[in-house]
Amino acid sequence: MTLLTPSNGIASETMPNQLPICRVEIAGQNMVEADRWLIVGAGGFGREVYSWTSGLLRATQSDFPVGFLDDDPNSLDQFPTLKERWTGRISTYSPRTGDRLLMAVGDPTSKLAVGEALAARGAVFASFVHPTAVIAHDVRIGFGCIICPFAVVCCNVRLGNFVSMNIGSVAGHDSIIGDGCTLSPHSDVAGKVTLNRGVFMGCHTAILPNTQVGEFARIGAGSVVINNVSPGVSMMGVPAKRISWLQHDSDVDQPESMAG
Ligand SMILES: CC(C)(COP(=O)(O)OP(=O)(O)OC[C@H]1O[C@@H](n2cnc3c(N)ncnc32)[C@H](O)[C@@H]1OP(=O)(O)O)[C@@H](O)C(=O)NCCC(=O)NCCS
């Protein structure tokens, strides 16, 4: 597997002109080929991650060691070509040297709970960047991120850990995408936006420039966010309006400056 190996997690200056066929990195570490790749979560997103990584892995590793971790041993039963790849439960996974994990849970709350628990047990997460994704020269990507086909990460963007950027999503210049955020297909973060920890953006959403989105907020599919958003709320529509408070409300402060 072709590697991107910045020692400090910052993409190398030569990246734009020398895009490798497949880029997998672990922020802060030099990358080695994995003995075993484990996709965490065998739901729809997990199977998509499998399809994007498997061709690339087949091309570079002859024994094609890819499995799934999921607490439901029957999660792949309906998919005969994948069924045998269920490897074990997330809750009982014991890290082995040479394992590299790819985070494929979509819901931010579950993703952060699972990812942080696994990392605390010593699991090592890679970040996967599909070869059709466009990544600016000075982007910083944390661990456990999945950057899907045709996603774009513009200049001076910081992605935290466990960020998922689905097909065709965009993180605009100077934006900060916090740990565990999920950008669904074709979601668009404009320039100088901050998505705090655990934000979920539905399909075909847009966040206007200079906007702050609070922790664990959810942006409904097709919505356009024009003002700051409070933590833990669901926003929908054009322009997006608050529709409900979520269970996170009691856990987070509500800054008065946020209008959501
Ligand atoms: C924002 C969201 C997460 C809220 O989910 P929820 O809290 O379960 O809300 P509900 O589905 O119960 O819907 C609540 C109300 O909002 C409406 N609604 C739901 N999604 C909407 C949307 N995107 N735009 C406008 N209205 C919407 C529902 O019709 C419902 O209206 P009602 O109370 O008059 O019946 C969800 O609606 C959504 O948009 N999810 C995005 C899905 C997606 O893009 N997934 C990507 C997978 S790759």
Side-chain angles (χ1 to χ4, degrees), residues 158-174:
R158 300 289 175 260
L159 301 185
N161 303 326
F162 303 120
V163 171
S164 319
M165 289 188 62
N166 214 314
I167 302 165
S169 59
V170 178
H173 65 88
D174 305 305

Side-chain angles (χ1 to χ4, degrees), residues 166 184-185 200 202-203 218-223 234-237 243-244:
N166 214 314
S184 296
F200 174 81
C203 299
R218 297 192 301 174
I219 313 302
S223 303
S234 293
M235 303 286 290
M236 280 182 206
I243 58 154
S244 67

